[in-house]
Amino acid sequence: MLDETFKLAKNKTVGLKQTQRALEKGIVQRVYLANDAEMHVLRPILELCRNHNVERIEVSSMKELGKAFGIEVGTAVAAILKD
């Protein structure tokens, strides 16, 4: 289940490339991952999360994650950025 923290966050990113860049810069507080995303897509993000000690939260679907971010399409990954 997606919590209210993501919906209310001011600084966030959505999508694989944007989230990956933010993780590489070390500015991510928490990552949201869709359970129905393909593992080969999530693998680099999971590795970066482990390397940077970033909390990971699973969301039931890409559609739910996209909707929470306010976009019409689903997304595999989204993140809350540090203030």
Side-chain angles (χ1 to χ4, degrees):
M1 184 71 188
L2 192 56
D3 65 14
E4 290 295 315
T5 306
F6 183 73
K7 294 177 184 177
L8 300 175
K10 292 180 184 176
N11 297 321
K12 51 191 169 185
T13 184
V14 68
L16 182 67
K17 289 181 183 180
Q18 288 181 336
T19 302
Q20 189 169 355
R21 281 188 218 118
L23 280 164
E24 290 168 351
K25 291 178 181 177
I27 60 172
V28 175
Q29 177 182 348
R30 181 182 298 156
V31 169
Y32 292 83
L33 305 162
N35 282 335
D36 61 348
E38 298 204 18
M39 186 49 72
H40 75 276
V41 171
L42 297 179
R43 195 169 288 122
I45 298 296
L46 291 169
E47 186 175 330
L48 284 166
C49 286
R50 279 191 294 274
N51 292 342
H52 292 278
N53 241 357
V54 174
E55 179 183 7
R56 298 176 307 261
I57 298 190
E58 294 183 5
V59 179
S60 63
S61 71
M62 294 190 305
K63 184 176 180 179
E64 179 185 356
L65 189 54
K67 183 177 179 183
F69 188 75
I71 59 175
E72 296 289 323
V73 295
T75 185
V77 181
I80 294 177
L81 305 179
K82 296 176 182 176
D83 292 329

